[in-house]
Amino acid sequence: MVTARPVCGPISSYSRVQILHLVQTRPDRTIAEICEETGLHANTVREHLQRLDEGGYIIQKTEHRTTRGRPRTLYSAATGAPGASSPVAREKVNEAARRGDLMRRVLHTDASELGREATYQLDALVEHLEESGFDPIIDEREMTVELTPCPHAAASPENRPLLCQVHLGLMQGVLTQAGGPIAAECVLAAANPSECTVQLRVDAA
């Protein structure tokens, strides 16, 4: 029997998942908004935001005000798109590419048949998934990522859809940050909660 690895990284707590969901669905969130939506104390929200910022999963900026008053800090998801790119996330994908190149030289393996950019996208995606507690297996022919056994299988059934949605968004952010033709499309439906397969796609140039 294969046992799921411990949940870690940006989805290590459901409160953090809730915060990520909020900034993924709408950018420029304030701490007050996040507190109101989640019911969490401001200090708890700040701690989660700090961890997410350090991991490269969110970005922050200071509000531009035309009226008197102290500007607020606004938080958004680091999607990898122009204007929503985290320096930490950029360094992560660069390091993943360097490690991937080194491993391919040591093992005398070729890059992906999908091309150099796609190879680096997959390098970054695998490192992100491993950091988050998954043991990914990528099938480039079927363009799937097998994540069974899912670390979230024991989560409450009502929480799993949000967990899947948030982590799919994180995966897409990594792929976008790395730059290339691959995108994360969906989490495939499964009868067993321990089973998890993500469908990728290759967008035409």
Side-chain angles (χ1 to χ4, degrees):
M1 178 178 172
V2 180
T3 304
R5 298 167 67 177
V7 178
C8 46
I11 49 177
S12 59
S13 76
Y14 192 69
S15 294
R16 202 166 294 173
V17 169
Q18 290 178 297
I19 293 171
L20 280 167
H21 174 67
L22 289 173
V23 297
Q24 284 177 346
T25 52
R26 184 173 66 75
D28 296 339
R29 296 277 190 173
T30 65
I31 287 178
E33 281 183 285
I34 295 171
C35 290
E36 182 178 355
E37 292 287 342
T38 62
L40 297 171
H41 189 275
N43 289 340
T44 303
V45 168
R46 288 189 184 93
E47 183 178 344
H48 283 310
L49 289 170
Q50 181 180 347
R51 298 291 179 268
L52 292 170
D53 182 54
E54 291 169 353
Y57 301 108
I58 64 169
I59 56 174
Q60 55 180 292
K61 67 180 182 181
T62 302
E63 176 185 42
H64 175 69
R65 299 192 67 151
T66 56
T67 57
R68 297 180 66 180
R70 184 175 181 178
R72 299 170 297 180
T73 301
L74 307 177
Y75 298 89
S76 304
T79 64
S85 174
S86 159
V88 176
R90 289 196 295 273
E91 183 58 26
K92 279 187 173 184
V93 299
N94 291 337
E95 286 294 330
R98 284 193 282 270
R99 281 188 286 267
D101 280 340
L102 177 61
M103 187 64 68
R104 282 181 284 275
R105 286 196 297 271
V106 170
L107 299 177
H108 303 290
T109 56
D110 296 326
S112 169
E113 294 182 0
L114 299 171
R116 185 180 181 86
E117 287 185 341
T119 297
Y120 290 153
Q121 282 185 292
L122 294 177
D123 288 339
L125 182 60
V126 166
E127 291 208 2
H128 161 71
L129 290 169
E130 290 177 343
E131 178 185 290
S132 299
F134 294 92
D135 189 13
I137 299 174
I138 294 180
D139 185 332
E140 291 187 29
R141 188 177 300 275
E142 298 294 328
M143 291 307 297
T144 57
V145 185
E146 181 62 48
L147 299 174
T148 303
C150 176
H152 300 295
S156 300
E158 63 270 21
N159 292 343
R160 282 200 295 268
L162 185 61
L163 282 161
C164 293
Q165 181 183 346
V166 166
H167 199 245
L168 187 69
L170 290 171
M171 292 174 66
Q172 182 55 48
V174 170
L175 292 168
T176 301
Q177 183 63 68
I182 299 177
E185 191 166 75
C186 64
V187 178
L188 299 178
N192 189 329
S194 68
E195 297 175 358
C196 179
T197 305
V198 176
Q199 183 68 56
L200 306 177
R201 70 170 189 271
V202 180
D203 293 331

